[in-house]
Amino acid sequence: MIQAPAPPPPSRRRHDREIISLAVPAFGALVAEPLFVMVDSAIVGHLGTPQLAGLAVAAALLTTAVSVFVFLAYATTAAVARRVGAGDPASAIRQGMDGIWLALLLGIAVIAVALPTAPWLVDIFGASDTAAPYATTYLRISSLGIPAMLVVMAATGVLRGLQDTRTPLYVAVGGFAANGALNAGLVYGAGLGIAGSAWGTVIAQISMAVAYLIVVVRGARRHGASLRLDAAGIRASAQAGVPLLVRTLSLRAVLMIATAVAARLGDTEIAAHQIILSLWSLMAFALDAIAIAGQAIIGRYLGADDAKGAREACRRMVQWGIVSGVVFGALIVLARPLFVPLFTSDRTVQDTLLPALLVVALSQPIAGVVFVLDGVLMGAGDGRYLAWAMLVTLAVFAPVALLVPVIGGGLTTLWWAMALTMTVRMVTLWLRTRSGKWIVTGATR
């Protein structure tokens, strides 16, 4: 008689429910964000090639500027989740407000820099003479929405820390819909051209920030938390964010070096590299959703002085990361004949792309572990270690990547270097989690 498999232990089922309930809405919100640029591109593209080229340059500048401040979400999630675990929601929201105030101040500072330097920044990014005026117009107007974008980041961190990833999903979907409608109306209906696209995006971003603030303010009033600007709290939030800023800049440097090396390899290689990066980014969203769940769950367990629960949650999320990586790797291999022609019909690009894609597929289980452990250590507030680990990774990757044109092997060799980078990250993060030094319980680290 065949015996039925034993049911998973209750703790595993509990962790699975928590991971799914937080990760699935987080993935939806993450995917909605890049759709803003896609909508802008689709609408502006019908105005003409110079306008679309100008949008591409401005969007790249804006994306780079905003991505640097992603620590506003990460650091806030960890700090808020700890206080939630400690049973102090008022303090949790107060901590979140410090992050929101910091986001607002940083956004104002970015505007002060972006407005006068917009033409110079556009020129540095190599915009043509015909595209530069459109890029400058879009950049100057869109920079007015940066404070709102940063507030959205910080407020998203607050809600994630409060174990709520559904509200960010609803706000992201609403913002996406509003952005599309406003862009179409202002670009074509009002005849504002590319300026209308920029104003539509700014209005949508401000609306999203207002929606988040309404939710946070209601929570503050319900729990009696102060909303006032607190200089000491803002300084503490900034200090917690500095290591994560170093980590993010190091990661961006890895991606920029990889793109620069691919460009030196030739037009075919850079075209194939861009396709792989687009696919890699999509898979990163899914893995990052698990990492976001990890930030919220680990922070809550540590805040509740439950070191055992934190270890069990970490172990289960690593299993999720490995399984997700295996699934994504298999999908890449099995589906590549279907999706590669959607990106390019150039046989030379396809032939260059395929072997590099196999490297990406093989490295996905490693990427799954990296993303999850990254989220675990962020949730533990272990930003200083994450910064050093990423600097070590950059130090390993940079010389190897720069030698690719000398070594030979083209794009495939470059992506083997990227796989090496993920392996170094996995080893450094695994050593930290195994040591247990990340487990610091209590409402604050």
Side-chain angles (χ1 to χ4, degrees):
M1 182 176 178
I2 299 175
Q3 207 170 25
S11 62
R12 183 183 298 180
R13 290 199 299 269
R14 183 179 73 252
H15 291 317
D16 287 345
R17 286 195 299 270
E18 288 180 333
I19 293 168
I20 292 171
S21 66
L22 291 171
V24 172
F27 174 69
L30 289 169
V31 170
E33 292 173 10
L35 293 179
F36 272 72
V37 177
M38 290 180 63
V39 168
D40 289 3
S41 299
I43 292 173
V44 171
H46 291 286
L47 295 174
T49 300
Q51 289 90 332
L52 184 57
L55 171 64
V57 171
L61 282 163
L62 289 164
T63 301
T64 300
V66 172
S67 65
V68 166
F69 298 107
V70 72
F71 70 85
L72 290 166
Y74 293 157
T76 304
T77 298
V80 171
R82 274 185 176 270
R83 286 161 174 78
V84 168
D88 189 357
S91 177
I93 295 175
R94 174 62 260 179
Q95 180 76 30
M97 282 305 305
D98 292 335
I100 290 173
W101 278 113
L102 175 62
L104 185 60
L105 294 173
L106 288 173
I108 293 171
V110 172
I111 289 179
V113 173
L115 287 178
T117 62
W120 176 74
L121 291 170
V122 166
D123 184 60
I124 287 293
F125 262 61
S128 66
D129 291 340
T130 54
Y134 297 111
T136 302
T137 297
Y138 191 93
L139 180 59
R140 278 181 166 158
I141 296 172
S142 291
S143 66
L144 300 177
I146 288 178
M149 295 170 71
L150 300 189
V151 166
V152 165
M153 275 189 181
T156 299
V158 175
L159 295 181
R160 288 173 181 169
L162 294 171
Q163 316 297 297
D164 176 10
T165 56
R166 291 183 180 275
T167 299
L169 172 60
Y170 299 148
V171 174
V173 171
F176 169 69
N179 181 60
L182 287 165
N183 270 259
L186 294 174
V187 171
Y188 300 121
L192 296 180
I194 195 169
S197 177
W199 281 117
T201 300
V202 168
I203 294 170
Q205 289 163 347
I206 292 174
S207 300
M208 290 173 67
V210 169
Y212 272 116
L213 289 175
I214 290 173
V215 174
V216 173
V217 168
R218 283 178 178 171
R221 288 177 175 170
R222 184 165 59 251
H223 296 288
S226 173
L227 298 172
R228 291 197 303 271
L229 187 149
D230 177 22
I234 292 174
R235 280 196 303 272
S237 293
Q239 289 170 356
V242 168
L244 294 179
L245 175 61
V246 172
R247 168 204 167 272
T248 300
L249 289 174
S250 301
L251 180 57
R252 297 293 300 181
V254 167
L255 297 176
M256 289 175 65
I257 290 171
T259 300
V261 170
R264 289 179 61 190
L265 294 175
D267 290 347
T268 299
E269 285 76 7
I270 188 61
H273 179 73
Q274 185 58 40
I275 293 171
I276 294 176
L277 271 183
S278 300
L279 180 64
W280 188 81
S281 297
L282 179 61
M283 291 182 292
F285 282 135
L287 295 174
D288 203 28
I290 303 175
I292 287 169
Q295 293 170 34
I297 293 169
I298 294 296
R300 192 188 75 235
Y301 275 118
L302 293 178
D305 293 322
D306 187 355
K308 181 175 181 290
R311 287 193 186 92
E312 290 178 349
C314 173
R315 189 178 303 112
R316 187 57 179 158
M317 280 181 284
V318 168
Q319 293 170 355
W320 271 75
I322 294 171
V323 171
S324 298
V326 170
V327 170
F328 292 154
L331 285 175
I332 291 172
V333 173
L334 296 174
R336 59 188 178 135
L338 300 176
F339 67 77
V340 169
L342 296 177
F343 288 97
T344 179
S345 58
D346 188 323
R347 289 295 306 177
T348 305
V349 174
Q350 290 182 7
D351 292 341
T352 303
L353 178 70
L354 292 177
L357 267 181
L358 290 177
V359 178
V360 175
L362 289 172
S363 65
Q364 283 309 293
I366 297 174
V369 174
V370 167
F371 274 82
V372 167
L373 293 183
D374 212 36
V376 166
L377 295 184
M378 282 184 190
D382 204 6
R384 190 180 297 274
Y385 183 84
L386 287 171
W388 282 111
M390 199 61 228
L391 286 171
V392 168
T393 302
L394 175 60
V396 172
F397 172 75
V400 174
L402 294 174
L403 283 173
V404 167
V406 178
I407 296 171
L411 190 66
T412 303
T413 303
L414 177 59
W415 275 94
W416 275 120
M418 290 289 284
L420 172 65
T421 300
M422 298 304 290
T423 303
V424 172
R425 289 186 71 191
M426 183 183 69
V427 171
T428 56
L429 298 177
W430 176 76
L431 288 173
R432 184 63 167 182
T433 53
R434 187 184 180 190
S435 73
K437 293 179 181 179
W438 58 280
I439 300 177
V440 179
T441 59
T444 58
R445 182 176 174 84

